[in-house]
Each structure stands twice: as C-alpha cells, then as structure tokens.
Amino acid sequence: MKMMLFAALAGVAFAGAANAQSDTTGSHNPAIKNNTPRTTAAAAKGRNSFTEHQAQVRIGKAGFTNVSGLAKNGNGVWQGTAMKGGSKVNVALDYKGNVTVH
C-alpha cells in the first residue's frame, strides 16, 4: 500500500514539473501563447497586463514606427498613433497581444 501511494505521489510531482516547463514562449503574460505580434480586425476587450513600454515595443515589432500617445482605454486596450508605410495610423494593442489599425 505504501509503495502504491509513493508511486502515485511521484507521478503527480513529475507531471507538475513537466507542466510548469510547458510555456516556452518566454512571455510574462499567460494570455500570450505566441510572442509573434499579429494584426487583427478588432481588439479584444479584457484586462491588459502590458505596461506602456511593453505595448510600444510589441506594436513596433508588428512593423510600426514612431509609436506614441499610448493610453489604455476603458476596455483594457492600449491605443495610440504610429507610422506605417509613410502614413500616420491609429493603432491598438489588446490583452492578447494583437495589434489593430483603426
């Protein structure tokens, strides 16, 4: 009986260690499963854990320059302006890390 209990506890411990290492993206945000920025048609509402600097960097990685005027709106979406293709555009970053242009 003791041996079965020990084996069960060891199995749980190993499963927990494997699960803890499953996030290989290096993201601080559990909502982000892929560090590659994506552009979407609409920003998702939700609690946003990105700092202003992190939002600026992520929007920049999506191909935008001169990201400025970022402010978080009531839906938890970072909004501001940026340049892309020589044009000034309004950009947004949602809690999932998606970049939108509007």
Side-chain angles (χ1 to χ4, degrees):
M1 180 68 174
K2 286 183 182 180
M3 191 60 122
M4 283 182 24
L5 180 60
F6 177 74
L9 289 174
V12 169
F14 288 126
N19 189 29
Q21 295 177 355
S22 65
D23 181 18
T24 59
T25 65
S27 174
H28 74 285
N29 185 336
I32 305 298
K33 301 300 181 201
N34 182 345
N35 272 340
T36 306
R38 298 181 322 147
T39 55
T40 60
K45 296 177 184 178
R47 186 175 170 138
N48 196 321
S49 63
F50 287 107
T51 65
E52 181 178 356
H53 176 73
Q54 291 168 331
Q56 186 174 23
V57 169
R58 189 149 181 102
I59 292 168
K61 285 182 179 180
F64 296 89
T65 59
N66 299 330
V67 180
S68 62
L70 287 176
K72 202 182 302 185
N73 70 16
N75 292 327
V77 176
W78 283 103
Q79 293 181 313
T81 59
M83 297 293 291
K84 185 154 189 177
S87 298
K88 188 174 183 177
V89 294
N90 293 318
V91 292
L93 177 77
D94 66 17
Y95 78 97
K96 294 179 181 182
N98 297 320
V99 178
T100 59
V101 177
H102 51 93

